[in-house]
Amino acid sequence: MARRWLRAVLSLRRAGRRTNVALLVVLIAAAVTGGIAFAAGTPIPARLATIAHGVFGLAVVLLVPWKTVIVRRAPLLRAASLVLIGLIALCVASGLVEVFFGYGLWWRLSPIQVHVGSALLAAPLLAWHVLHHRPQRLRRMDLSRRTLLRTGALAAGAAATYAALEGVGRLAGSASASRTSTGSHPISAAAVPATIWLFDQVPVVGSDHQVLVAGSAFSISDLASRSEAIPARLDCTSGWYTDGVWSAVSLVDLIPPEKLAAAASIEVASVTGYSRRFPANEAGNLWLATAYHNQPLQPAYGAPVRLVAPHRRGFWWVKWVTSVKLSDLPSWAQPPYPLQ
Ligand SMILES: Nc1nc2c(c(=O)[nH]1)N[C@H]1C(S)=C(S)[C@@H](COP(=O)(O)O)O[C@H]1N2
Ligand SMILES: [Mo]
């Protein structure tokens, strides 16, 4: 026991360049896997991304004792570095709140909004911090056996912490136990918040609204009369999901097959300018919905017509659809996340 303690202290004293490199690597990996977790809409990639994201996040926490030694040794602490520490602490804390307490609003913000917001603010500070301190070049020694062992120990420690927290959450009956593969928590249809991605605004759309689909105009009653009942899970990246039934018509039933076959992508645009581009071969699973649980859509929820994309996260479900356009552009010719 004493020997193990002594060894731990010794390795704490050895905190230095390699701790910094490790911390930078796990922070970047946490950010990248977080982005992938938002992009993934299907169970297996989503599960892998959320687990990896959790493990990298916990690795950041596990490196805190070593980083503390480095910070204590520093001759001067810049204010920006302290802000950076605060933002990363807030990011980790809000991530844990999201997992264990679930979706909710505190001062009109969800834990995920705080989590992503603090990460986005921390990113430029981290870049500044890394550039302003002695650049940490990789050395040959970094690939030594001992370093590999330490990396393995950090990975094993983070994975074990993840598994332990998962177990404790389950035993304690916390919200973590009921989250789905994307990490979202279930809410009832009645509790679904009218959700804006960033800065979009609920427009006023008349009931005489027509949607232009591959050049042909459809009225709302045209769409409604061709609709069928479609069960789908709306899984928002702000931490909730809900299962519901939409009255909707598939894009393959509205677009002539020869036109569809010639297109590479389909751009679905909102009256507001918000839009998403899909691969053309997804048309069969893209639906124009005019009703939810047999009720016409509410204005804030996309009335009179919105997209339902069962295999994709909520931000793809364009509300207040005005047009569906076929295009030669590849489906990735767009920002990975909407900008409005
Ligand atoms: N035009 C437009 N469509 C949008 C959004 C938006 O901000 N503008 N938000 C998206 C997001 S992030 C989600 S989760 C769903 C939410 O649908 P809801 O308001 O019915 O819950 O709509 C999507 N469609
Ligand atoms: Mo969302």
Side-chain angles (χ1 to χ4, degrees):
M1 199 57 212
R3 243 171 88 195
R4 210 185 283 167
W5 180 81
L6 193 67
R7 232 192 276 157
V9 172
L10 283 178
S11 79
L12 271 181
R13 270 222 233 123
R14 251 188 254 131
R17 198 180 54 84
R18 263 173 260 163
T19 303
N20 285 336
V21 172
L23 193 54
L24 182 60
V25 168
V26 293
L27 281 170
I28 292 172
V32 168
T33 49
I36 296 173
F38 261 26
T42 46
I44 292 170
R47 177 76 74 195
L48 292 175
T50 51
I51 291 177
H53 184 59
V55 169
F56 284 121
L58 292 171
V60 173
V61 177
L62 293 186
L63 286 170
V64 166
W66 285 270
K67 185 64 182 179
T68 306
V69 173
I70 297 172
V71 171
R72 286 240 191 94
R73 262 194 228 134
L76 160 85
L77 275 185
R78 292 191 177 85
S81 302
L82 291 174
V83 174
L84 178 59
I85 291 173
L87 285 170
I88 293 173
L90 182 63
C91 187
V92 171
S94 52
L96 291 169
V97 167
E98 146 64 28
V99 169
F100 292 100
F101 294 88
Y103 175 76
L105 295 179
W106 285 269
W107 301 285
R108 301 176 65 192
L109 288 176
S110 66
I112 288 271
Q113 283 172 320
V114 176
H115 185 66
V116 176
S118 50
L120 290 177
L121 291 174
L125 277 180
L126 180 64
W128 169 88
H129 179 83
V130 170
L131 293 174
H132 264 73
H133 287 69
R134 224 172 339 133
Q136 317 264 331
R137 264 187 223 100
L138 279 180
R139 297 186 196 149
R140 216 199 176 104
M141 262 247 296
D142 290 339
L143 295 174
S144 71
R145 202 176 135 240
R146 190 190 286 164
T147 309
L148 276 179
L149 281 176
R150 282 198 198 141
T151 308
L154 177 62
T161 310
Y162 185 95
L165 287 177
E166 212 53 285
V168 169
R170 217 151 276 215
L171 285 178
S174 97
S176 64
S178 61
R179 70 204 205 279
T180 184
S181 51
T182 58
S184 296
H185 303 270
I187 60 172
S188 72
V192 170
T195 305
I196 290 296
W197 173 255
L198 286 176
F199 320 108
D200 210 5
Q201 269 173 2
V202 179
V204 180
V205 187
S207 53
D208 56 346
H209 179 70
Q210 296 211 318
V211 185
L212 212 58
V213 181
S216 309
F218 291 90
S219 70
I220 300 308
S221 53
D222 284 340
L223 297 174
S225 66
R226 290 159 166 255
S227 290
E228 54 187 297
I230 295 303
R233 172 168 293 181
L234 172 50
D235 185 352
C236 177
T237 48
S238 65
W240 55 266
Y241 75 86
T242 193
D243 291 321
V245 181
W246 304 81
S247 308
V249 52
S250 165
L251 293 186
V252 285
D253 293 335
L254 300 174
I255 305 173
E258 64 283 0
K259 279 196 184 178
L260 193 54
S265 66
I266 305 176
E267 190 190 32
V268 180
S270 170
V271 169
T272 63
Y274 185 102
S275 76
R276 291 274 83 198
R277 184 182 294 281
F278 300 84
N281 64 13
E282 284 184 17
N285 209 15
L286 297 172
W287 306 79
L288 289 179
T290 47
Y292 182 56
H293 291 158
N294 291 319
Q295 300 294 315
L297 301 182
Q298 301 286 309
Y301 298 87
V305 53
R306 76 171 308 164
L307 191 73
V308 166
H311 55 304
R312 289 184 176 260
R313 301 300 296 273
F315 67 84
W316 294 87
W317 294 40
V318 178
K319 300 196 273 194
W320 316 291
V321 172
T322 186
S323 68
V324 174
K325 288 186 181 145
L326 299 177
S327 152
D328 295 336
L329 288 175
S331 58
W332 45 260
Q334 64 182 340
Y337 303 103
L339 302 173
Q340 84 180 64

